[in-house]
Amino acid sequence: MYMLACVEQLIRAFFTEITDPEERFYNEASLQHELALYLRSRLPGGWRVYLELPASWFHQAARGLTKKEIDLAVTDGSRERAVAVELKCPRQGQHPEQMFKACQDLQFLEQLIAAGFAGGVFAMHVRDPLYYERGSRRGIYAHFRAGTAICGVIRKPTGARDRVAEIRGSYTPVWLPGGGSHRYWVQSVPPAA
């Protein structure tokens, strides 16, 4: 649990220290790289940061999951203990789709923990108030705009609605100010008790 708490704390510190998010986070890739650089400069000695590696590279049991690759992973020197980090930084609207993808990322983190990861952290950075306060508060929007917990079966809200995210835990977005209309949400996903 120490590794998970440390990674979560550093990610929260990263968002509070950013003074120019508009210039630093053009898209998810820029957020991913900025965060990786930040973590590398602050993690305890011997810990490593990996980007976009297959989950099975860390644990053989991590196959056939919601996704194949992890956005970012932090490990101890032996790679025996790893914390997975999934990121969202939507910039082109698609509000319900991106909200559903955030739910899929939470499901993926739970699957990684079941496959042997020490924990997970989900982080979402947005600049559009439609993600966190304006508009409908029904369906998938209730989770992101009205404080309804993300748990159970979440159905894809657009297009072919036969896809679902199955969330075992319960996660409630808490949007923190990140300068101007920017907000961020950092969510720890611990191992099941």
Side-chain angles (χ1 to χ4, degrees):
M1 288 298 276
Y2 169 74
M3 180 179 268
L4 176 59
C6 182
V7 171
E8 179 188 5
Q9 181 180 19
L10 284 171
I11 292 172
R12 288 182 184 282
F14 167 76
F15 282 114
T16 61
E17 292 176 22
I18 296 299
T19 58
D20 56 351
E22 196 67 42
E23 293 180 26
R24 303 278 294 273
F25 308 145
Y26 176 75
N27 57 23
E28 189 172 310
S30 61
L31 170 60
Q32 182 184 36
H33 288 93
E34 290 285 341
L35 179 59
L37 290 169
Y38 181 89
L39 291 174
R40 281 187 177 144
S41 71
R42 287 167 176 80
L43 286 169
W47 289 18
R48 304 272 321 262
V49 176
Y50 297 94
L51 300 170
E52 296 295 333
L53 284 175
S56 60
W57 189 77
F58 298 95
H59 295 283
Q60 288 299 314
R63 295 181 184 277
L65 308 181
T66 301
K67 293 172 56 178
K68 288 176 90 173
E69 295 180 344
I70 301 169
D71 289 341
L72 193 146
V74 176
T75 69
D76 61 10
S78 66
R79 283 190 3 224
E80 287 183 21
R81 297 192 48 78
V83 172
V85 179
E86 286 298 305
L87 303 169
K88 282 285 167 270
C89 188
R91 294 293 188 253
Q92 302 299 322
Q94 300 180 332
H95 303 94
E97 283 293 322
Q98 292 298 321
M99 291 171 178
F100 181 71
K101 287 181 180 181
C103 295
Q104 287 181 309
D105 281 353
L106 290 167
Q107 176 185 3
F108 181 53
L109 290 170
E110 289 181 344
Q111 291 171 340
L112 291 171
I113 292 165
F117 279 73
V121 179
F122 174 76
M124 187 170 186
H125 183 273
V126 299
R127 65 180 180 199
D128 184 345
L130 285 172
Y131 281 102
Y132 55 85
E133 68 182 3
R134 296 185 190 153
S136 173
R137 294 178 181 267
R138 295 181 181 181
I140 198 159
Y141 302 110
H143 303 293
F144 293 83
R145 297 176 183 162
T148 300
I150 297 171
C151 59
V153 175
I154 309 294
R155 190 160 303 284
K156 186 175 181 294
T158 59
R161 298 175 188 217
D162 57 343
R163 294 176 56 200
V164 297
E166 296 183 32
I167 311 296
R168 293 178 185 209
S170 181
Y171 312 101
T172 303
V174 175
W175 295 104
L176 300 173
S181 65
H182 292 254
R183 298 288 184 275
Y184 67 93
W185 164 36
V186 177
Q187 178 68 57
S188 178
V189 180

